[in-house]
Each structure stands twice: as C-alpha cells, then as structure tokens.
C-alpha cells in the first residue's frame, strides 16, 4: 500500500518478466462510473505525469477509480532485455490485461460502471489512440493530451544516441539531443531501456489513419505546442469512422507544461463524466 486509497501491483507479461508497476487508486466517494486508465509520456512516469501534476487527486475528487502503469524502462517498472516487450502492440496487449485484472468489464448499455475511459499524454496518446481503435467493446471515451499525427520518436537517431552515451560523441540532430537530454533529467529512467523502446517503436510506425477510434475523443494541446496543428486532422480521422472528436487549445501552454494545466484537467473530467 502506498496510501489510503491506493493499491500497488506488479504485473508480469506472459513469457517475460518486465515487472510493470501498476497502481489502482480508489475514489474518495465513488461516482459509480467506469475506471480511468492513465498512460504517461516518453521518459516520464505515472508519478511525474499524473500524481505530481495533480491528475490523480482531481480524478479521485470526481469519484473516479484510476489505473496507472509505468511503461517498460520507466518509473518503477522493470527493464526487460527482449525487444518485443517494448513494442507498441505488446504494450497495448499488456495494458488490456492490466485493466482486466483491475476489474474493467466490457461496455454494457445502461450500465455506466462498465467499460473503461482512457487518458493519454504525448507517447501515451499514441498508445491510447491505437488501444481505443482495437478495443471498441471496452473503451467508452478517451482524452488525448499533446497528440500528434506523426510519432516524433520515429526520427530519433539511435546510433548517435548510443555513441553519445558510450563516449560523449556530440549528437547533431537537435530533436534526438533534446529527447535524450529530457530522458537524462529523470533519475529513475533506464536510458538503454528507453533506447530499446524507441527501436521497437520504429519497428511499428504510427499511422493514425490505419485504425482510428470509434468512441468519443477529446484532443487537448497547448496553443504554443507545435503538435497542436495535428488536432484537426486527428479529429477528422475519428469523425470518418463515426467518432465524436472535440478539440481544446489551452492558452499559454506548450507540449511540456500543458499536462499541469487546471483547464486540461477540468475539460477531461467533464468530458469523461458521462
């Protein structure tokens, strides 16, 4: 136990032992609604993205039961040696097992306690987009923060990053250097595991048009986030398959700090509170 309303678990994937760190946070007063799965961003963790930024407390106040998981190589999760454990498809499969283990049930008309709501941020939004598209019988609504129609990790220079970590060779690509620097700022990150994650992601490129979610989606970005230009395209893709897509731009926020915004939290709680 890590608190009055929190249950701590370690989830093991069949066939490997990544020891994904999972927590289930109970509401202060149960609103009778389905649980909410939170998926954090690259080089972050559930603690950094969700607990420290006030999301867990805000959702508990709204009467929601919350499921958090640290992605492989992040936070308090393990760092498996096999590359497959880091692939988006494998992560999505494990997320499905995690929420089922935590008590989520398929949607049933007239029963608001069934199904699952999902909130993703940055890389978590990419994973949530694909998760929702493949689990329409389970996912009720989704909130995607800092989403993009392209995966910024796809252009990451793995060789340059490996050379830098080995002998300090400077990285010429600014995006790669910036992402690696961001990862180094979090002491709990396993840098080599994060490189394995990037390699696995490169093996499964993100194409939001290939499979779009059918359920209602709220797309949120800071108005100073360069990825905000993707929101209309993602909304159109969801709309083509019958999904309701709403868009919110948070004034004065960028990709890094929009996750701490009260406006973002309030919009998400309202959108999911049905």
């Amino acid at each position: 136990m890590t608190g009055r309303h929190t249950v701590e678990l370690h989830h093991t994937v069949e066939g490997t032992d990544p020891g994904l760190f999972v927590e289930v946070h109970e509401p202060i007063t149960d609103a009778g609604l389905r649980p909410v799965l939170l998926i954090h961003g690259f080089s972050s963790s559930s603690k950094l993205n969700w607990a420290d930024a006030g999301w867990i407390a805000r959702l508990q106040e709204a009467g929601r039961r919350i499921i958090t998981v640290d992605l492989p190589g992040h936070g308090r999760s393990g760092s498996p040696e096999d590359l497959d454990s880091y692939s988006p498809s494998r992560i999505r499969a494990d997320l499905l097992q995690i929420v089922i283990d935590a008590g989520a049930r398929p949607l049933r008309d007239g029963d608001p306690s069934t199904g699952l709501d999902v909130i993703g941020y940055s890389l978590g939004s990419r994973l949530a987009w694909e998760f929702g598209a493949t689990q329409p019988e389970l996912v009720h609504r989704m909130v995607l923060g800092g989403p993009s129609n392209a995966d910024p990790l796809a252009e990451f220079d793995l060789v340059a990053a490996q050379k830098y970590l080995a002998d300090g060779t400077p990285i010429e690509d600014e995006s790669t250097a910036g992402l690696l620097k961001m990862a180094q700022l979090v002491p709990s990150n396993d840098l080599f595991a994060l490189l394995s994650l990037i390699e696995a992601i490169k093996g499964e490129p993100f194409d939001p048009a290939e499979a779009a979610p059918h359920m209602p989606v709220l797309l949120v970005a800071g108005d100073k986030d360069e990825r905000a230009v993707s929101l209309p395209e993602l909304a159109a893709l969801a709309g083509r398959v019958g999904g309701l897509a709403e868009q919110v731009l948070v004034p004065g926020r960028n990709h890094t700090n929009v996750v701490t915004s009260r406006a973002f939290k309030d919009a998400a709680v309202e959108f999911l509170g049905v």
Side-chain angles (χ1 to χ4, degrees):
M1 298 287 289
T2 59
R4 187 163 58 95
H5 299 290
T6 303
V7 175
E8 179 181 311
L9 306 168
H10 283 273
H11 181 78
T12 300
V13 184
E14 182 179 355
T16 64
D17 186 18
L20 294 183
F21 184 80
V22 181
E23 287 184 312
V24 179
H25 309 263
E26 300 297 338
I28 296 174
T29 301
D30 195 341
L33 296 175
R34 57 197 57 83
V36 183
L37 170 66
L38 305 181
I39 311 175
H40 67 76
F42 176 74
S43 83
S44 188
S45 66
S46 294
K47 180 181 185 299
L48 291 174
N49 261 177
W50 308 123
D52 293 354
W55 279 89
I56 292 175
R58 181 70 178 86
L59 289 164
Q60 285 179 313
E61 291 171 1
R64 305 304 295 268
R65 187 169 185 258
I66 308 144
I67 305 166
T68 61
V69 56
D70 286 345
L71 297 175
H74 293 73
R76 287 173 281 182
S77 282
S79 301
E81 295 183 2
D82 62 306
L83 189 63
D84 180 62
S85 292
Y86 298 92
S87 68
S89 56
R90 182 59 176 267
I91 292 173
R92 293 196 307 271
D94 197 48
L95 291 176
L96 176 60
Q97 188 63 58
I98 285 169
V99 298
I100 295 300
D101 289 348
R105 296 168 291 157
L107 288 162
R108 188 167 65 242
D109 289 343
D111 187 348
S113 69
T114 62
L116 177 76
D117 287 330
V118 181
I119 302 177
Y121 179 67
S122 194
L123 172 60
S125 288
R126 175 246 165 101
L127 295 170
W129 179 275
E130 295 171 320
F131 186 82
T134 57
Q135 301 298 328
E137 74 288 344
L138 179 65
V139 179
H140 170 252
R141 288 190 165 211
M142 297 198 301
V143 176
L144 308 183
S148 176
N149 61 350
D151 192 338
L153 295 177
E155 302 302 320
F156 188 94
D157 190 336
L158 277 170
V159 174
Q162 291 164 343
K163 288 182 177 179
Y164 172 80
L165 293 175
D167 58 21
T169 301
I171 300 174
E172 294 184 6
D173 179 62
E174 291 185 5
S175 176
T176 298
L179 285 168
L180 189 60
K181 182 178 180 180
M182 180 176 66
Q184 289 178 303
L185 292 175
V186 182
S188 61
N189 281 340
D190 183 326
L191 295 178
F192 291 98
L194 265 57
L195 295 185
S196 293
L197 173 65
I198 294 172
E199 183 178 354
I201 285 175
K202 285 174 171 287
E204 294 184 6
F206 180 47
D207 182 359
E210 186 174 296
H214 292 66
M215 66 288 301
V217 178
L218 176 65
L219 304 168
V220 182
D223 67 354
K224 297 186 181 302
D225 183 355
E226 61 183 17
R227 303 184 193 184
V229 298
S230 295
L231 265 61
E233 180 179 340
L234 292 172
L237 289 173
R240 287 174 199 159
V241 295
L244 168 68
E246 298 183 15
Q247 304 173 57
V248 171
L249 287 178
V250 181
R253 297 289 180 136
N254 57 34
H255 188 75
T256 302
N257 63 19
V258 72
V259 72
T260 64
S261 164
R262 178 180 297 179
F264 185 2
K265 299 183 189 74
D266 290 345
V269 168
E270 181 179 359
F271 184 77
L272 299 180
V274 295

